[in-house]
Amino acid sequence: NTKLLLASLLALALSACATDKHALTVNPQKVYDAVNTKYPAEKNTLVFVDAPEGFVAPKLANCAVEKDVDNGDVVAISSALALKTTTVIIAGDDESLTATTLAQALKTGTEKINGSKAIVIGAKETQKTLADLASTSGVSLEFIENPS
């Protein structure tokens, strides 16, 4: 009975982690509108980094991006920066995952993205690291608070 009870509690805890329904804290339309209001004459491209729901899943997604296992959003950011015809707005559900994804994009293909401009929404804890990477890559980087 004790083993069954412990297994049930473990299953319940894992279920709770996997089904954590957090409220969307970043509204892509509000982000785009805020940047468009600040820079009305510039063309903007929004790259939104979706984060998986749950407690553990965003951390696993971070690891996947760092290890180049999941690089779809990294390629999207790099490609948008390489165009150099628009300002790339980078936002996401999870600031840590968004920062990790941007960092990976800044580390890869620096010759293609040199001279581009990006605006990052949030990412307070990683601003210095991202600014240093952007400087090394030749990308003009600006940080804006989340307008939500």
Side-chain angles (χ1 to χ4, degrees):
N1 285 342
T2 306
K3 289 182 182 179
L4 181 61
L5 178 64
L6 287 175
S8 297
L9 288 174
L10 179 61
L12 182 63
L14 288 174
S15 173
C17 288
T19 59
D20 177 29
K21 299 283 186 196
H22 63 279
L24 183 66
T25 58
V26 178
N27 183 321
Q29 187 61 48
K30 285 184 180 179
V31 166
Y32 190 83
D33 291 344
V35 173
N36 202 30
T37 300
K38 187 171 181 177
Y39 300 106
E42 290 188 28
K43 292 181 183 178
N44 300 314
T45 300
L46 175 64
V47 178
F48 194 81
V49 180
D50 284 320
E53 292 184 7
F55 179 72
V56 177
K59 291 173 181 50
L60 293 175
N62 247 344
C63 291
V65 170
E66 287 174 348
K67 302 292 183 199
D68 287 330
V69 174
D70 178 14
N71 64 355
D73 288 326
V74 172
V75 171
I77 293 170
S78 297
S79 298
L81 288 171
L83 292 176
K84 299 177 192 168
T85 57
T86 63
T87 298
V88 181
I89 306 165
I90 301 143
D93 292 324
D94 182 87
E95 286 190 2
S96 176
L97 180 58
T98 302
T100 300
T101 305
L102 175 58
Q104 288 299 106
L106 291 171
K107 290 176 188 175
T108 59
T110 56
E111 64 280 348
K112 294 179 184 176
I113 62 175
N114 188 358
S116 55
K117 181 178 179 186
I119 297 173
V120 182
I121 307 302
K124 296 172 195 157
E125 295 178 11
T126 56
Q127 284 183 359
K128 179 167 177 10
T129 303
L130 291 174
D132 290 346
L133 284 170
S135 178
T136 302
S137 301
V139 175
S140 172
L141 198 61
E142 180 180 347
F143 295 93
I144 295 179
E145 289 292 319
N146 182 359
S148 297

